Amino acid sequence: MPQVVRPRIAVLHGTHPASPLPQRFRSLADREAVEVLHRAARVLVASLPVLTDRLVEALYEQEPGYRAAIESDRAEIWQEVHHSLRHNVGSLIQPREFREAAHRTSRRIGEIRAEQGVPLDAVLHAFRMGGAMVWQDLVDETARRDPDDVRLLVHVAADVWNFVDEHCGIVGDAYRQAERRLSWRRENQQRLMIAALLDGTARIADLCEAAAMLGLPEQGRYAVLAVASAPRGPQRPGPARPPLNLPAALPVAAPYGQSGPGLPHVRPDAPALPGAAPYGQSGPDGLPHVRPDTVLLPTAFPGTAPLWHTGPDAEFAILRLTGDPGDPGELHAIAAALDAPAGTRAGIGSAVEGLAALGDARRLAETALRACPASGGTVLLDEHLPDALVVTSPALGSALADRVLGPLDRLDPSDRDVILETLTAWLDADGSAQRAGARLYCHRNTVLNRLRRFEQLTGRCLTRPRDAVEVSLALAARRLLAP
């Protein structure tokens, strides 16, 4: 190859600024230079099958990203390369006639390669390899016909390489658009699958696919976490649920209302905590910026990152458990270490076996959430089963509260509240008047006097087990079911 064209070939793997191809060549070459280019391009069109073979072989040997695709379906890749070369070389001869067809071909290649998962760098490299091979053949054909004409190609080289760069830009745009569509489709499929699992509507035949899609074992142990904000008054409008952050590995998380096992995202419009690093940066402790209204799961969270789903009244997270089936310590550790903003209510349901039981796990988590005080906190269902009994049947719970505690409503509200507070403290102290008095900052005899008054007003006997159970459930109903 003459030395005059080597510099243009040498920048083959560099990044060329894309510029639109004009409707007709506007290089400094005269008509003779353009005719030389057209003459050489016509020869290439006549030998396109041979050129296609060479390019496909070069892609197989030099571009690892294409190797698997060529091994899988070499004929399909050959047809695609041949189609692209035919339109692109034709565009050098008749730009107006071939321009749109060449653009469509390049866009289609970008979309197909994105669907196949071929890296974008590999696709762009392939296009530049094709451009280099076409340019080399143009030079060789011109030199074979008349070596003196090679110097004329220098004047049209910029047009040829601008054409290559233009199509690299078209391929890149089409690839990225297809990638976004595929990403949205995958995320939507994941959301639908997670929703079906949590609703209990997933088909048994789909569980294997769901396990592969979500990266979860079909027969693993799971629990569900339900999170919601405290009820807001009419004067405090706001979202029904707080933004949630899902840890990717330990303390980082996914955006509010989104799910998926991929890398987490943090809202860029989130105000930073005092002294925290700006969004997208790490602070001196190496931790990224996190919203102050973020729910963080414990850093010692077991298994893989939870998957979130937005329900109508709460956020749900699927927690994969890895501890022993009979050991409740894993759920206790999560409940104890869960860090939620003030006023946030969280409920953790009991452990279940297998993806097929996630619908039951969600309902258990909802029950735990309903057993959570309106002021906020975290409730582990296994530790609050009596409260769960009350909230699962609110009508019966309210009836029990009215029957057991109704006589107290005839008292002055302040007097009634003192008796109920004393009764609650005594039950929480396992029936110890001494400890209840310490909690209430009063003498044990004051506690006993208030308890006797309660018995006189209600006709209940706190030393009778049946009455003690009814009183305990009635207090829970009054606390959890109050409007």
Side-chain angles (χ1 to χ4, degrees), residues 56 59-77 113 116-119 122:
V56 171
L59 288 174
Y60 184 82
E61 294 177 355
Q62 301 176 31
E63 180 45 68
Y66 264 75
R67 197 164 296 152
I70 294 175
E71 290 176 347
S72 175
D73 193 345
R74 192 182 189 94
E76 189 270 337
I77 298 295
R113 293 295 164 256
Q116 293 176 339
V118 178

mmCIF file with all atom_site columns, all heavy atoms in Angstrom, residues 56 59-77 113 116-119 122:
data_model
loop_
_atom_site.group_PDB
_atom_site.id
_atom_site.type_symbol
_atom_site.label_atom_id
_atom_site.label_alt_id
_atom_site.label_comp_id
_atom_site.label_asym_id
_atom_site.label_entity_id
_atom_site.label_seq_id
_atom_site.pdbx_PDB_ins_code
_atom_site.Cartn_x
_atom_site.Cartn_y
_atom_site.Cartn_z
_atom_site.occupancy
_atom_site.B_iso_or_equiv
_atom_site.pdbx_formal_charge
_atom_site.auth_seq_id
_atom_site.auth_comp_id
_atom_site.auth_asym_id
_atom_site.auth_atom_id
_atom_site.pdbx_PDB_model_num
ATOM 1   N N   . VAL A 1 56  ? -15.708 -11.227 7.723  1.00 0.00 ? 56  VAL A N   1
ATOM 2   C CA  . VAL A 1 56  ? -16.228 -12.142 8.736  1.00 0.00 ? 56  VAL A CA  1
ATOM 3   C C   . VAL A 1 56  ? -15.094 -12.915 9.393  1.00 0.00 ? 56  VAL A C   1
ATOM 4   O O   . VAL A 1 56  ? -15.056 -13.092 10.616 1.00 0.00 ? 56  VAL A O   1
ATOM 5   C CB  . VAL A 1 56  ? -17.273 -13.095 8.125  1.00 0.00 ? 56  VAL A CB  1
ATOM 6   C CG1 . VAL A 1 56  ? -17.661 -14.189 9.127  1.00 0.00 ? 56  VAL A CG1 1
ATOM 7   C CG2 . VAL A 1 56  ? -18.513 -12.323 7.688  1.00 0.00 ? 56  VAL A CG2 1
ATOM 8   N N   . LEU A 1 59  ? -13.262 -10.598 11.727 1.00 0.00 ? 59  LEU A N   1
ATOM 9   C CA  . LEU A 1 59  ? -14.013 -10.386 12.962 1.00 0.00 ? 59  LEU A CA  1
ATOM 10  C C   . LEU A 1 59  ? -13.847 -11.575 13.903 1.00 0.00 ? 59  LEU A C   1
ATOM 11  O O   . LEU A 1 59  ? -13.683 -11.408 15.117 1.00 0.00 ? 59  LEU A O   1
ATOM 12  C CB  . LEU A 1 59  ? -15.491 -10.172 12.653 1.00 0.00 ? 59  LEU A CB  1
ATOM 13  C CG  . LEU A 1 59  ? -15.872 -8.842  12.000 1.00 0.00 ? 59  LEU A CG  1
ATOM 14  C CD1 . LEU A 1 59  ? -17.351 -8.845  11.623 1.00 0.00 ? 59  LEU A CD1 1
ATOM 15  C CD2 . LEU A 1 59  ? -15.585 -7.680  12.937 1.00 0.00 ? 59  LEU A CD2 1
ATOM 16  N N   . TYR A 1 60  ? -13.872 -12.771 13.347 1.00 0.00 ? 60  TYR A N   1
ATOM 17  C CA  . TYR A 1 60  ? -13.733 -13.961 14.177 1.00 0.00 ? 60  TYR A CA  1
ATOM 18  C C   . TYR A 1 60  ? -12.369 -14.015 14.845 1.00 0.00 ? 60  TYR A C   1
ATOM 19  O O   . TYR A 1 60  ? -12.246 -14.400 16.011 1.00 0.00 ? 60  TYR A O   1
ATOM 20  C CB  . TYR A 1 60  ? -13.964 -15.211 13.331 1.00 0.00 ? 60  TYR A CB  1
ATOM 21  C CG  . TYR A 1 60  ? -13.924 -16.489 14.131 1.00 0.00 ? 60  TYR A CG  1
ATOM 22  C CD1 . TYR A 1 60  ? -15.051 -16.918 14.844 1.00 0.00 ? 60  TYR A CD1 1
ATOM 23  C CD2 . TYR A 1 60  ? -12.775 -17.263 14.187 1.00 0.00 ? 60  TYR A CD2 1
ATOM 24  C CE1 . TYR A 1 60  ? -15.008 -18.088 15.591 1.00 0.00 ? 60  TYR A CE1 1
ATOM 25  C CE2 . TYR A 1 60  ? -12.733 -18.431 14.941 1.00 0.00 ? 60  TYR A CE2 1
ATOM 26  C CZ  . TYR A 1 60  ? -13.857 -18.836 15.634 1.00 0.00 ? 60  TYR A CZ  1
ATOM 27  O OH  . TYR A 1 60  ? -13.807 -19.993 16.383 1.00 0.00 ? 60  TYR A OH  1
ATOM 28  N N   . GLU A 1 61  ? -11.344 -13.615 14.125 1.00 0.00 ? 61  GLU A N   1
ATOM 29  C CA  . GLU A 1 61  ? -9.985  -13.718 14.647 1.00 0.00 ? 61  GLU A CA  1
ATOM 30  C C   . GLU A 1 61  ? -9.606  -12.541 15.541 1.00 0.00 ? 61  GLU A C   1
ATOM 31  O O   . GLU A 1 61  ? -8.855  -12.714 16.505 1.00 0.00 ? 61  GLU A O   1
ATOM 32  C CB  . GLU A 1 61  ? -8.993  -13.801 13.472 1.00 0.00 ? 61  GLU A CB  1
ATOM 33  C CG  . GLU A 1 61  ? -9.124  -15.071 12.649 1.00 0.00 ? 61  GLU A CG  1
ATOM 34  C CD  . GLU A 1 61  ? -8.178  -15.089 11.462 1.00 0.00 ? 61  GLU A CD  1
ATOM 35  O OE1 . GLU A 1 61  ? -7.498  -14.039 11.252 1.00 0.00 ? 61  GLU A OE1 1
ATOM 36  O OE2 . GLU A 1 61  ? -8.124  -16.092 10.748 1.00 0.00 ? 61  GLU A OE2 1
ATOM 37  N N   . GLN A 1 62  ? -10.130 -11.345 15.255 1.00 0.00 ? 62  GLN A N   1
ATOM 38  C CA  . GLN A 1 62  ? -9.641  -10.148 15.930 1.00 0.00 ? 62  GLN A CA  1
ATOM 39  C C   . GLN A 1 62  ? -10.619 -9.537  16.929 1.00 0.00 ? 62  GLN A C   1
ATOM 40  O O   . GLN A 1 62  ? -10.203 -8.693  17.733 1.00 0.00 ? 62  GLN A O   1
ATOM 41  C CB  . GLN A 1 62  ? -9.273  -9.081  14.883 1.00 0.00 ? 62  GLN A CB  1
ATOM 42  C CG  . GLN A 1 62  ? -8.219  -9.529  13.889 1.00 0.00 ? 62  GLN A CG  1
ATOM 43  C CD  . GLN A 1 62  ? -7.958  -8.474  12.825 1.00 0.00 ? 62  GLN A CD  1
ATOM 44  O OE1 . GLN A 1 62  ? -8.078  -7.278  13.079 1.00 0.00 ? 62  GLN A OE1 1
ATOM 45  N NE2 . GLN A 1 62  ? -7.622  -8.914  11.617 1.00 0.00 ? 62  GLN A NE2 1
ATOM 46  N N   . GLU A 1 63  ? -11.884 -9.899  16.879 1.00 0.00 ? 63  GLU A N   1
ATOM 47  C CA  . GLU A 1 63  ? -12.867 -9.289  17.781 1.00 0.00 ? 63  GLU A CA  1
ATOM 48  C C   . GLU A 1 63  ? -13.553 -10.375 18.621 1.00 0.00 ? 63  GLU A C   1
ATOM 49  O O   . GLU A 1 63  ? -14.471 -11.053 18.159 1.00 0.00 ? 63  GLU A O   1
ATOM 50  C CB  . GLU A 1 63  ? -13.904 -8.503  16.984 1.00 0.00 ? 63  GLU A CB  1
ATOM 51  C CG  . GLU A 1 63  ? -14.975 -7.829  17.835 1.00 0.00 ? 63  GLU A CG  1
ATOM 52  C CD  . GLU A 1 63  ? -14.378 -7.124  19.045 1.00 0.00 ? 63  GLU A CD  1
ATOM 53  O OE1 . GLU A 1 63  ? -13.659 -6.114  18.868 1.00 0.00 ? 63  GLU A OE1 1
ATOM 54  O OE2 . GLU A 1 63  ? -14.607 -7.603  20.170 1.00 0.00 ? 63  GLU A OE2 1
ATOM 55  N N   . PRO A 1 64  ? -13.107 -10.573 19.878 1.00 0.00 ? 64  PRO A N   1
ATOM 56  C CA  . PRO A 1 64  ? -13.687 -11.621 20.717 1.00 0.00 ? 64  PRO A CA  1
ATOM 57  C C   . PRO A 1 64  ? -15.185 -11.453 20.944 1.00 0.00 ? 64  PRO A C   1
ATOM 58  O O   . PRO A 1 64  ? -15.904 -12.444 21.123 1.00 0.00 ? 64  PRO A O   1
ATOM 59  C CB  . PRO A 1 64  ? -12.913 -11.475 22.039 1.00 0.00 ? 64  PRO A CB  1
ATOM 60  C CG  . PRO A 1 64  ? -11.640 -10.777 21.668 1.00 0.00 ? 64  PRO A CG  1
ATOM 61  C CD  . PRO A 1 64  ? -11.982 -9.876  20.529 1.00 0.00 ? 64  PRO A CD  1
ATOM 62  N N   . GLY A 1 65  ? -15.653 -10.212 20.938 1.00 0.00 ? 65  GLY A N   1
ATOM 63  C CA  . GLY A 1 65  ? -17.075 -9.995  21.172 1.00 0.00 ? 65  GLY A CA  1
ATOM 64  C C   . GLY A 1 65  ? -17.960 -10.583 20.093 1.00 0.00 ? 65  GLY A C   1
ATOM 65  O O   . GLY A 1 65  ? -19.138 -10.861 20.346 1.00 0.00 ? 65  GLY A O   1
ATOM 66  N N   . TYR A 1 66  ? -17.447 -10.769 18.904 1.00 0.00 ? 66  TYR A N   1
ATOM 67  C CA  . TYR A 1 66  ? -18.218 -11.336 17.798 1.00 0.00 ? 66  TYR A CA  1
ATOM 68  C C   . TYR A 1 66  ? -18.031 -12.844 17.671 1.00 0.00 ? 66  TYR A C   1
ATOM 69  O O   . TYR A 1 66  ? -18.770 -13.495 16.931 1.00 0.00 ? 66  TYR A O   1
ATOM 70  C CB  . TYR A 1 66  ? -17.817 -10.665 16.482 1.00 0.00 ? 66  TYR A CB  1
ATOM 71  C CG  . TYR A 1 66  ? -18.715 -9.530  16.062 1.00 0.00 ? 66  TYR A CG  1
ATOM 72  C CD1 . TYR A 1 66  ? -18.646 -8.298  16.691 1.00 0.00 ? 66  TYR A CD1 1
ATOM 73  C CD2 . TYR A 1 66  ? -19.654 -9.690  15.055 1.00 0.00 ? 66  TYR A CD2 1
ATOM 74  C CE1 . TYR A 1 66  ? -19.463 -7.250  16.323 1.00 0.00 ? 66  TYR A CE1 1
ATOM 75  C CE2 . TYR A 1 66  ? -20.486 -8.650  14.668 1.00 0.00 ? 66  TYR A CE2 1
ATOM 76  C CZ  . TYR A 1 66  ? -20.390 -7.428  15.311 1.00 0.00 ? 66  TYR A CZ  1
ATOM 77  O OH  . TYR A 1 66  ? -21.217 -6.396  14.945 1.00 0.00 ? 66  TYR A OH  1
ATOM 78  N N   . ARG A 1 67  ? -17.026 -13.394 18.352 1.00 0.00 ? 67  ARG A N   1
ATOM 79  C CA  . ARG A 1 67  ? -16.679 -14.798 18.129 1.00 0.00 ? 67  ARG A CA  1
ATOM 80  C C   . ARG A 1 67  ? -17.829 -15.731 18.449 1.00 0.00 ? 67  ARG A C   1
ATOM 81  O O   . ARG A 1 67  ? -18.150 -16.650 17.672 1.00 0.00 ? 67  ARG A O   1
ATOM 82  C CB  . ARG A 1 67  ? -15.449 -15.139 18.969 1.00 0.00 ? 67  ARG A CB  1
ATOM 83  C CG  . ARG A 1 67  ? -14.727 -16.420 18.537 1.00 0.00 ? 67  ARG A CG  1
ATOM 84  C CD  . ARG A 1 67  ? -13.346 -16.451 19.158 1.00 0.00 ? 67  ARG A CD  1
ATOM 85  N NE  . ARG A 1 67  ? -12.532 -15.342 18.661 1.00 0.00 ? 67  ARG A NE  1
ATOM 86  C CZ  . ARG A 1 67  ? -11.544 -14.787 19.344 1.00 0.00 ? 67  ARG A CZ  1
ATOM 87  N NH1 . ARG A 1 67  ? -11.269 -15.207 20.568 1.00 0.00 ? 67  ARG A NH1 1
ATOM 88  N NH2 . ARG A 1 67  ? -10.834 -13.810 18.821 1.00 0.00 ? 67  ARG A NH2 1
ATOM 89  N N   . ALA A 1 68  ? -18.487 -15.515 19.583 1.00 0.00 ? 68  ALA A N   1
ATOM 90  C CA  . ALA A 1 68  ? -19.587 -16.404 19.969 1.00 0.00 ? 68  ALA A CA  1
ATOM 91  C C   . ALA A 1 68  ? -20.745 -16.296 18.986 1.00 0.00 ? 68  ALA A C   1
ATOM 92  O O   . ALA A 1 68  ? -21.363 -17.305 18.629 1.00 0.00 ? 68  ALA A O   1
ATOM 93  C CB  . ALA A 1 68  ? -20.065 -16.073 21.379 1.00 0.00 ? 68  ALA A CB  1
ATOM 94  N N   . ALA A 1 69  ? -21.045 -15.078 18.520 1.00 0.00 ? 69  ALA A N   1
ATOM 95  C CA  . ALA A 1 69  ? -22.147 -14.904 17.570 1.00 0.00 ? 69  ALA A CA  1
ATOM 96  C C   . ALA A 1 69  ? -21.841 -15.590 16.248 1.00 0.00 ? 69  ALA A C   1
ATOM 97  O O   . ALA A 1 69  ? -22.720 -16.207 15.631 1.00 0.00 ? 69  ALA A O   1
ATOM 98  C CB  . ALA A 1 69  ? -22.408 -13.409 17.341 1.00 0.00 ? 69  ALA A CB  1
ATOM 99  N N   . ILE A 1 70  ? -20.588 -15.499 15.806 1.00 0.00 ? 70  ILE A N   1
ATOM 100 C CA  . ILE A 1 70  ? -20.212 -16.145 14.547 1.00 0.00 ? 70  ILE A CA  1
ATOM 101 C C   . ILE A 1 70  ? -20.250 -17.660 14.693 1.00 0.00 ? 70  ILE A C   1
ATOM 102 O O   . ILE A 1 70  ? -20.714 -18.370 13.794 1.00 0.00 ? 70  ILE A O   1
ATOM 103 C CB  . ILE A 1 70  ? -18.813 -15.659 14.105 1.00 0.00 ? 70  ILE A CB  1
ATOM 104 C CG1 . ILE A 1 70  ? -18.870 -14.170 13.754 1.00 0.00 ? 70  ILE A CG1 1
ATOM 105 C CG2 . ILE A 1 70  ? -18.297 -16.476 12.921 1.00 0.00 ? 70  ILE A CG2 1
ATOM 106 C CD1 . ILE A 1 70  ? -17.522 -13.567 13.431 1.00 0.00 ? 70  ILE A CD1 1
ATOM 107 N N   . GLU A 1 71  ? -19.790 -18.173 15.814 1.00 0.00 ? 71  GLU A N   1
ATOM 108 C CA  . GLU A 1 71  ? -19.843 -19.618 16.028 1.00 0.00 ? 71  GLU A CA  1
ATOM 109 C C   . GLU A 1 71  ? -21.279 -20.102 16.119 1.00 0.00 ? 71  GLU A C   1
ATOM 110 O O   . GLU A 1 71  ? -21.594 -21.213 15.685 1.00 0.00 ? 71  GLU A O   1
ATOM 111 C CB  . GLU A 1 71  ? -19.091 -19.976 17.316 1.00 0.00 ? 71  GLU A CB  1
ATOM 112 C CG  . GLU A 1 71  ? -17.581 -19.808 17.218 1.00 0.00 ? 71  GLU A CG  1
ATOM 113 C CD  . GLU A 1 71  ? -16.896 -20.072 18.542 1.00 0.00 ? 71  GLU A CD  1
ATOM 114 O OE1 . GLU A 1 71  ? -17.609 -20.140 19.573 1.00 0.00 ? 71  GLU A OE1 1
ATOM 115 O OE2 . GLU A 1 71  ? -15.656 -20.214 18.552 1.00 0.00 ? 71  GLU A OE2 1
ATOM 116 N N   . SER A 1 72  ? -22.162 -19.284 16.679 1.00 0.00 ? 72  SER A N   1
ATOM 117 C CA  . SER A 1 72  ? -23.556 -19.681 16.832 1.00 0.00 ? 72  SER A CA  1
ATOM 118 C C   . SER A 1 72  ? -24.287 -19.705 15.502 1.00 0.00 ? 72  SER A C   1
ATOM 119 O O   . SER A 1 72  ? -25.049 -20.635 15.215 1.00 0.00 ? 72  SER A O   1
ATOM 120 C CB  . SER A 1 72  ? -24.254 -18.731 17.799 1.00 0.00 ? 72  SER A CB  1
ATOM 121 O OG  . SER A 1 72  ? -25.636 -19.007 17.881 1.00 0.00 ? 72  SER A OG  1
ATOM 122 N N   . ASP A 1 73  ? -24.085 -18.685 14.673 1.00 0.00 ? 73  ASP A N   1
ATOM 123 C CA  . ASP A 1 73  ? -24.800 -18.610 13.385 1.00 0.00 ? 73  ASP A CA  1
ATOM 124 C C   . ASP A 1 73  ? -23.942 -17.809 12.409 1.00 0.00 ? 73  ASP A C   1
ATOM 125 O O   . ASP A 1 73  ? -24.161 -16.614 12.196 1.00 0.00 ? 73  ASP A O   1
ATOM 126 C CB  . ASP A 1 73  ? -26.160 -17.964 13.572 1.00 0.00 ? 73  ASP A CB  1
ATOM 127 C CG  . ASP A 1 73  ? -27.074 -18.149 12.360 1.00 0.00 ? 73  ASP A CG  1
ATOM 128 O OD1 . ASP A 1 73  ? -26.550 -18.519 11.284 1.00 0.00 ? 73  ASP A OD1 1
ATOM 129 O OD2 . ASP A 1 73  ? -28.292 -17.927 12.494 1.00 0.00 ? 73  ASP A OD2 1
ATOM 130 N N   . ARG A 1 74  ? -22.976 -18.474 11.820 1.00 0.00 ? 74  ARG A N   1
ATOM 131 C CA  . ARG A 1 74  ? -22.075 -17.792 10.898 1.00 0.00 ? 74  ARG A CA  1
ATOM 132 C C   . ARG A 1 74  ? -22.810 -17.278 9.675  1.00 0.00 ? 74  ARG A C   1
ATOM 133 O O   . ARG A 1 74  ? -22.501 -16.184 9.166  1.00 0.00 ? 74  ARG A O   1
ATOM 134 C CB  . ARG A 1 74  ? -20.947 -18.748 10.471 1.00 0.00 ? 74  ARG A CB  1
ATOM 135 C CG  . ARG A 1 74  ? -19.803 -18.073 9.747  1.00 0.00 ? 74  ARG A CG  1
ATOM 136 C CD  . ARG A 1 74  ? -18.742 -19.075 9.311  1.00 0.00 ? 74  ARG A CD  1
ATOM 137 N NE  . ARG A 1 74  ? -17.558 -18.393 8.809  1.00 0.00 ? 74  ARG A NE  1
ATOM 138 C CZ  . ARG A 1 74  ? -16.499 -18.096 9.526  1.00 0.00 ? 74  ARG A CZ  1
ATOM 139 N NH1 . ARG A 1 74  ? -16.475 -18.436 10.822 1.00 0.00 ? 74  ARG A NH1 1
ATOM 140 N NH2 . ARG A 1 74  ? -15.467 -17.469 9.009  1.00 0.00 ? 74  ARG A NH2 1
ATOM 141 N N   . ALA A 1 75  ? -23.788 -18.018 9.179  1.00 0.00 ? 75  ALA A N   1
ATOM 142 C CA  . ALA A 1 75  ? -24.523 -17.599 7.978  1.00 0.00 ? 75  ALA A CA  1
ATOM 143 C C   . ALA A 1 75  ? -25.281 -16.290 8.229  1.00 0.00 ? 75  ALA A C   1
ATOM 144 O O   . ALA A 1 75  ? -25.326 -15.405 7.367  1.00 0.00 ? 75  ALA A O   1
ATOM 145 C CB  . ALA A 1 75  ? -25.493 -18.697 7.542  1.00 0.00 ? 75  ALA A CB  1
ATOM 146 N N   . GLU A 1 76  ? -25.851 -16.166 9.432  1.00 0.00 ? 76  GLU A N   1
ATOM 147 C CA  . GLU A 1 76  ? -26.602 -14.943 9.737  1.00 0.00 ? 76  GLU A CA  1
ATOM 148 C C   . GLU A 1 76  ? -25.670 -13.733 9.792  1.00 0.00 ? 76  GLU A C   1
ATOM 149 O O   . GLU A 1 76  ? -25.993 -12.655 9.283  1.00 0.00 ? 76  GLU A O   1
ATOM 150 C CB  . GLU A 1 76  ? -27.329 -15.125 11.073 1.00 0.00 ? 76  GLU A CB  1
ATOM 151 C CG  . GLU A 1 76  ? -28.317 -14.006 11.410 1.00 0.00 ? 76  GLU A CG  1
ATOM 152 C CD  . GLU A 1 76  ? -27.666 -12.876 12.192 1.00 0.00 ? 76  GLU A CD  1
ATOM 153 O OE1 . GLU A 1 76  ? -26.628 -13.116 12.841 1.00 0.00 ? 76  GLU A OE1 1
ATOM 154 O OE2 . GLU A 1 76  ? -28.178 -11.744 12.134 1.00 0.00 ? 76  GLU A OE2 1
ATOM 155 N N   . ILE A 1 77  ? -24.502 -13.908 10.424 1.00 0.00 ? 77  ILE A N   1
ATOM 156 C CA  . ILE A 1 77  ? -23.529 -12.818 10.486 1.00 0.00 ? 77  ILE A CA  1
ATOM 157 C C   . ILE A 1 77  ? -23.035 -12.482 9.077  1.00 0.00 ? 77  ILE A C   1
ATOM 158 O O   . ILE A 1 77  ? -22.866 -11.302 8.731  1.00 0.00 ? 77  ILE A O   1
ATOM 159 C CB  . ILE A 1 77  ? -22.342 -13.207 11.390 1.00 0.00 ? 77  ILE A CB  1
ATOM 160 C CG1 . ILE A 1 77  ? -22.838 -13.453 12.822 1.00 0.00 ? 77  ILE A CG1 1
ATOM 161 C CG2 . ILE A 1 77  ? -21.283 -12.124 11.383 1.00 0.00 ? 77  ILE A CG2 1
ATOM 162 C CD1 . ILE A 1 77  ? -23.397 -12.237 13.503 1.00 0.00 ? 77  ILE A CD1 1
ATOM 163 N N   . ARG A 1 113 ? -27.410 -6.418  17.840 1.00 0.00 ? 113 ARG A N   1
ATOM 164 C CA  . ARG A 1 113 ? -26.256 -6.710  18.700 1.00 0.00 ? 113 ARG A CA  1
ATOM 165 C C   . ARG A 1 113 ? -26.564 -6.396  20.153 1.00 0.00 ? 113 ARG A C   1
ATOM 166 O O   . ARG A 1 113 ? -26.083 -7.062  21.054 1.00 0.00 ? 113 ARG A O   1
ATOM 167 C CB  . ARG A 1 113 ? -25.040 -5.924  18.227 1.00 0.00 ? 113 ARG A CB  1
ATOM 168 C CG  . ARG A 1 113 ? -24.532 -6.365  16.869 1.00 0.00 ? 113 ARG A CG  1
ATOM 169 C CD  . ARG A 1 113 ? -24.011 -7.808  16.906 1.00 0.00 ? 113 ARG A CD  1
ATOM 170 N NE  . ARG A 1 113 ? -23.879 -8.342  15.557 1.00 0.00 ? 113 ARG A NE  1
ATOM 171 C CZ  . ARG A 1 113 ? -24.736 -9.200  15.016 1.00 0.00 ? 113 ARG A CZ  1
ATOM 172 N NH1 . ARG A 1 113 ? -25.785 -9.615  15.708 1.00 0.00 ? 113 ARG A NH1 1
ATOM 173 N NH2 . ARG A 1 113 ? -24.558 -9.647  13.801 1.00 0.00 ? 113 ARG A NH2 1
ATOM 174 N N   . GLN A 1 116 ? -28.462 -9.290  21.472 1.00 0.00 ? 116 GLN A N   1
ATOM 175 C CA  . GLN A 1 116 ? -27.597 -10.458 21.648 1.00 0.00 ? 116 GLN A CA  1
ATOM 176 C C   . GLN A 1 116 ? -26.586 -10.265 22.771 1.00 0.00 ? 116 GLN A C   1
ATOM 177 O O   . GLN A 1 116 ? -25.907 -11.213 23.159 1.00 0.00 ? 116 GLN A O   1
ATOM 178 C CB  . GLN A 1 116 ? -26.859 -10.763 20.342 1.00 0.00 ? 116 GLN A CB  1
ATOM 179 C CG  . GLN A 1 116 ? -27.767 -11.219 19.217 1.00 0.00 ? 116 GLN A CG  1
ATOM 180 C CD  . GLN A 1 116 ? -27.006 -11.416 17.911 1.00 0.00 ? 116 GLN A CD  1
ATOM 181 O OE1 . GLN A 1 116 ? -25.919 -10.877 17.721 1.00 0.00 ? 116 GLN A OE1 1
ATOM 182 N NE2 . GLN A 1 116 ? -27.577 -12.199 17.015 1.00 0.00 ? 116 GLN A NE2 1
ATOM 183 N N   . GLY A 1 117 ? -26.469 -9.061  23.293 1.00 0.00 ? 117 GLY A N   1
ATOM 184 C CA  . GLY A 1 117 ? -25.534 -8.814  24.373 1.00 0.00 ? 117 GLY A CA  1
ATOM 185 C C   . GLY A 1 117 ? -24.098 -8.635  23.929 1.00 0.00 ? 117 GLY A C   1
ATOM 186 O O   . GLY A 1 117 ? -23.180 -8.693  24.760 1.00 0.00 ? 117 GLY A O   1
ATOM 187 N N   . VAL A 1 118 ? -23.877 -8.384  22.636 1.00 0.00 ? 118 VAL A N   1
ATOM 188 C CA  . VAL A 1 118 ? -22.526 -8.103  22.157 1.00 0.00 ? 118 VAL A CA  1
ATOM 189 C C   . VAL A 1 118 ? -22.123 -6.714  22.657 1.00 0.00 ? 118 VAL A C   1
ATOM 190 O O   . VAL A 1 118 ? -22.892 -5.759  22.511 1.00 0.00 ? 118 VAL A O   1
ATOM 191 C CB  . VAL A 1 118 ? -22.464 -8.163  20.616 1.00 0.00 ? 118 VAL A CB  1
ATOM 192 C CG1 . VAL A 1 118 ? -21.066 -7.810  20.114 1.00 0.00 ? 118 VAL A CG1 1
ATOM 193 C CG2 . VAL A 1 118 ? -22.866 -9.551  20.127 1.00 0.00 ? 118 VAL A CG2 1
ATOM 194 N N   . PRO A 1 119 ? -20.953 -6.551  23.262 1.00 0.00 ? 119 PRO A N   1
ATOM 195 C CA  . PRO A 1 119 ? -20.561 -5.227  23.786 1.00 0.00 ? 119 PRO A CA  1
ATOM 196 C C   . PRO A 1 119 ? -20.550 -4.171  22.689 1.00 0.00 ? 119 PRO A C   1
ATOM 197 O O   . PRO A 1 119 ? -20.193 -4.441  21.541 1.00 0.00 ? 119 PRO A O   1
ATOM 198 C CB  . PRO A 1 119 ? -19.150 -5.475  24.337 1.00 0.00 ? 119 PRO A CB  1
ATOM 199 C CG  . PRO A 1 119 ? -19.089 -6.941  24.608 1.00 0.00 ? 119 PRO A CG  1
ATOM 200 C CD  . PRO A 1 119 ? -19.951 -7.590  23.562 1.00 0.00 ? 119 PRO A CD  1
ATOM 201 N N   . ALA A 1 122 ? -17.338 -3.665  20.884 1.00 0.00 ? 122 ALA A N   1
ATOM 202 C CA  . ALA A 1 122 ? -17.069 -4.681  19.862 1.00 0.00 ? 122 ALA A CA  1
ATOM 203 C C   . ALA A 1 122 ? -17.806 -4.343  18.568 1.00 0.00 ? 122 ALA A C   1
ATOM 204 O O   . ALA A 1 122 ? -17.267 -4.524  17.461 1.00 0.00 ? 122 ALA A O   1
ATOM 205 C CB  . ALA A 1 122 ? -17.481 -6.064  20.361 1.00 0.00 ? 122 ALA A CB  1
#
